[in-house]
Every structure is written in structure tokens, then in C-alpha cells.
């Protein structure tokens, strides 16, 4: 087990290095830089002053030198400082990550609460109304863009019914009830999209498991249908679902960028979006590398979870 974990972590290094290089080059390929963003259209700033600012930020150095300096600092645990605010990127990430983590976990929980019962019922009652509804829901969840769904939810539950606030954020430690009210719509927007994919996978997986010999044997032994479904079938059917959730975790974090912007949540996604708009290179590079590392660790945890769901799986 320990050897497997170490090998996976070592194998992740080239992936993270590739993410860092691509992010660095893409940000430099975008027209303009942080100096032009800060100066804007002010007519009284001469080219000499702009060149001085670029030297101050180190933007006049060759690209390979800039990347080497940034990567060397990251390896020492320093993600650099924002070129706009001067604050440490790691400090801002530490403040904003709990918001994104809460949003992602609530979205994931929402998806599972909807998809697991719906996928199981669709498989048990194949060809019935629930099965057709589950297929319709899955296609809808996979087709509707997250931002469009978020706007629909705001229109219905915030503006038309007035049940929930349309935007804003209250810290969990300050007022848990208000925090939950502000997070319901963002979590629904994120969770409904994932629920579509999980429902589809779980239905197919349950149908395959229910056709296995050991399920027929369990029924022939006189076990109740409830025991057969939930103890023997669902547990084995969850393995591909866990795989999908691990793969979709990166998509959840990516979707959080748009959802946080729509609902004005001060999370990592909105932090990255502000960094892109202002060409704040350390913010964007640090945030992308942080999210990529989180996705790698979550996928490793998902792989390890297989052995808990199915004890026959062993890691050498």
C-alpha cells in the first residue's frame, strides 16, 4: 500500500510540471500584462514608467528565467505574491479554499442524494416510468450548462419565490444558518450537473450487477430483495460510480469558477478569475497548480477507496 502511494505521488510530478508549464505559457500568450491592466487607459503614464514597472515585477526577464524563479520558489513552499495587491498567494488561497471546499462537498452530497436512489430505482424498475424519468434527468443534467442552470435557480427560488438569497456569502463560523441559505443554490447548481452523470453510470452498473450469477444465487437462497439490492448489488455497483466521482472532481472545481462568479462567492475559482482578468500571473499560476494538486490527491484517495468498497482489491 505504501509503495503504491509513493509510486502514484512520483508519477504525478510530471503531470503537475506539465500543468505549471502550460499555465505559464498560456498566461504569457494572452495580450497585455499586469502593468497594462493596472495602468489602464491613463494617458499620463509614459512608456518609460511602464518599462520601470515591468522591471519591478520581473516581467522584462526571459521567459525561462521567470518560470525557473517561480518554480524554484514553489518548491520551497512559496507561491509568490500578487502583483496587484502584494499579498501572498498562499495566504489568499488559505482564506478562499474553505469556501470552494464547502461548495464542492455540498455539490457532491447533493449529487449523491439525488443520483443514488434514482439510479437504483431506474435499474430495479427498468422500462418503467422511473427509468424513463432517470434517463431524461441524466440527459438534462449532462446537457444544461452550469451557469444557465444557476441563473434559472436564481430566477425561480430567489427572485420569483423569495425563499433563498440570489447571491452573497456569510462565513460558516459567523452564522451557520445564513451560510447554509447562501450556499444552497450554488450547491444545487453544481450538484445537479454531476447527478446526471452519476445517475446514468449507476443505472448501467446496477443492471450489469443484477444480471450476475451471485445475485441469482442470493435470491435463490431466499434473501429478501432489500438485502440483495443494498448488500450485494449496490456495493459492487458503486465502484464505477466512485471512479466517475474522482474524475468529475476536477470538473467540479472547474465548474466552481463559474458558479462562484454567478453567486459572488469569495472562493478559489473567483480568485483565479480575478487573476486572469488582471493578468496577475502569480495568482493564476499558483491557483491552477493548487487545484491540480488537489485533483491528483483526490483521485489517489478514490483509488484507495476501492479496497474499502471491494476487499478483493489489493494494492502491491
Amino acid at each position: 500500500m505504501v509503495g503504491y502511494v509513493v509510486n502514484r505521488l512520483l508519477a504525478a510530478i510530471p503531470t503537475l510540471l506539465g500543468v505549471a508549464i502550460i499555465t505559464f505559457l498560456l498566461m504569457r500568450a494572452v495580450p497585455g500584462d499586469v502593468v497594462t491592466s493596472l495602468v489602464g487607459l491613463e494617458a499620463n503614464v509614459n512608456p518609460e514608467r511602464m518599462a520601470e514597472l515591468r522591471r519591478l515585477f520581473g516581467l522584462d526577464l526571459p521567459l525561462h528565467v521567470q518560470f525557473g524563479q517561480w518554480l524554484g520558489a514553489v518548491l520551497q513552499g512559496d507561491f509568490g505574491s500578487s502583483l496587484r495587491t502584494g499579498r501572498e498567494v498562499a495566504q489568499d488561497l488559505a482564506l478562499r479554499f474553505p469556501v470552494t471546499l464547502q461548495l464542492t462537498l455540498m455539490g457532491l452530497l447533493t449529487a449523491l442524494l439525488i443520483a443514488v436512489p434514482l439510479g437504483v430505482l431506474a435499474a430495479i424498475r427498468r422500462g418503467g416510468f422511473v427509468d424513463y424519468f432517470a434517463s431524461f434527468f441524466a440527459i438534462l443534467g449532462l446537457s444544461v450548462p452550469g451557469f444557465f442552470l444557476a441563473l434559472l435557480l436564481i430566477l425561480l427560488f430567489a427572485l420569483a419565490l423569495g425563499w433563498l438569497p440570489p447571491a452573497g456569502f456569510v462565513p460558516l463560523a459567523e452564522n451557520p444558518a445564513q451560510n447554509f441559505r447562501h450556499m444552497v443554490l450554488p450547491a444545487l447548481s453544481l450538484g445537479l450537473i454531476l447527478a446526471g452523470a452519476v445517475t446514468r453510470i449507476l443505472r448501467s452498473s446496477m443492471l450489469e450487477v443484477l444480471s450476475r450469477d451471485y445475485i441469482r444465487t442470493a435470491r435463490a437462497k431466499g434473501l429478501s430483495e432489500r438485502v440483495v439490492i443494498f448488500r450485494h448489488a449496490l456495493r459492487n455497483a458503486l465502484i464505477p460510480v466512485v471512479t466517475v466521482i474522482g474524475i468529475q472532481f476536477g470538473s467540479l472545481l472547474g465548474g466552481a469558477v463559474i458558479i462562484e462568479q454567478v453567486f459572488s462567492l469569495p472562493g478559489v475559482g473567483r480568485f483565479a478569475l480575478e487573476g486572469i482578468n488582471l493578468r496577475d500571473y502569480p495568482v493564476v499560476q499558483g491557483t491552477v497548480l493548487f487545484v491540480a494538486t488537489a485533483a491528483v490527491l483526490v483521485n489517489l484517495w478514490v483509488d484507495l477507496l476501492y479496497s474499502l468498497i471491494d476487499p478483493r482489491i489489493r494494492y502491491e
Side-chain angles (χ1 to χ4, degrees):
M1 175 71 80
V2 175
Y4 174 79
V5 172
V6 172
N7 287 335
R8 284 290 304 270
L9 291 177
L10 291 176
I13 293 176
T15 303
L16 295 176
L17 183 60
V19 169
I21 293 173
I22 292 173
T23 307
F24 178 87
L25 293 178
L26 285 178
M27 284 303 298
R28 265 61 179 187
V30 176
D33 55 24
V34 67
V35 174
T36 56
S37 298
L38 291 174
V39 170
L41 299 178
E42 293 182 22
N44 56 348
V45 179
N46 55 49
E48 289 76 14
R49 176 57 181 161
M50 295 182 69
E52 182 182 344
L53 288 173
R54 288 194 175 92
R55 282 195 297 275
L56 179 66
F57 293 140
L59 301 178
D60 60 327
L61 298 173
L63 289 182
H64 68 279
V65 175
Q66 292 184 44
F67 181 75
Q69 289 180 347
W70 175 78
L71 186 62
V74 168
L75 292 176
Q76 299 176 41
D78 181 9
F79 280 63
S81 300
S82 166
L83 300 179
R84 181 175 57 92
T85 65
R87 290 168 54 88
E88 291 185 7
V89 174
Q91 184 180 357
D92 279 331
L93 285 174
L95 290 174
R96 292 168 177 267
F97 183 62
V99 180
T100 301
L101 182 62
Q102 182 187 359
L103 173 62
T104 305
L105 292 178
M106 287 182 67
L108 183 60
L109 181 63
T110 302
L112 293 178
L113 288 176
I114 296 172
V116 171
L118 192 57
V120 171
L121 286 174
I124 295 174
R125 302 176 181 175
R126 184 180 184 184
F129 171 76
V130 177
D131 191 16
Y132 287 117
F133 174 77
S135 298
F136 171 76
F137 175 78
I139 293 172
L140 198 65
L142 292 169
S143 307
V144 177
F147 75 92
F148 183 70
L149 179 61
L151 294 177
L152 287 180
L153 292 175
I154 291 174
L155 189 64
L156 177 60
F157 292 105
L159 301 182
L161 300 175
W163 292 351
L164 295 166
F169 177 74
V170 176
L172 181 64
E174 182 179 315
N175 190 329
Q178 284 299 318
N179 170 272
F180 181 77
R181 293 187 75 243
H182 280 85
M183 294 298 283
V184 167
L185 290 183
L188 271 177
S189 305
L190 212 56
L192 287 174
I193 302 298
L194 178 61
V198 175
T199 300
R200 194 178 182 88
I201 295 295
L202 183 57
R203 175 189 176 275
S204 301
S205 181
M206 279 292 292
L207 286 174
E208 182 185 350
V209 171
L210 288 174
S211 65
R212 298 276 179 84
D213 291 339
Y214 67 88
I215 295 295
R216 284 192 286 271
T217 302
R219 284 172 171 155
K221 289 168 62 178
L223 296 178
S224 67
E225 192 65 16
R226 181 179 177 182
V227 172
V228 172
I229 296 298
F230 291 101
R231 184 177 297 177
H232 296 281
L234 180 58
R235 188 169 181 173
N236 290 310
L238 281 178
I239 292 178
V241 173
V242 172
T243 304
V244 169
I245 290 174
I247 295 172
Q248 290 290 325
F249 184 79
S251 301
L252 279 179
L253 291 175
V257 175
I258 305 300
I259 299 302
E260 287 175 2
Q261 186 67 18
V262 172
F263 290 97
S264 300
L265 297 177
V268 172
R270 194 176 176 198
F271 184 50
L273 203 58
E274 292 170 354
I276 293 172
N277 289 334
L278 295 170
R279 312 292 190 271
D280 200 337
Y281 301 142
V283 168
V284 179
Q285 292 167 198
T287 304
V288 172
L289 186 61
F290 177 78
V291 171
T293 304
V296 166
L297 293 178
V298 167
N299 276 281
L300 174 60
W301 179 78
V302 166
D303 285 350
L304 298 178
L305 194 61
Y306 290 158
S307 63
L308 295 179
I309 297 175
D310 188 346
R312 294 171 298 177
I313 297 177
R314 291 284 184 270
Y315 297 101
E316 300 297 337

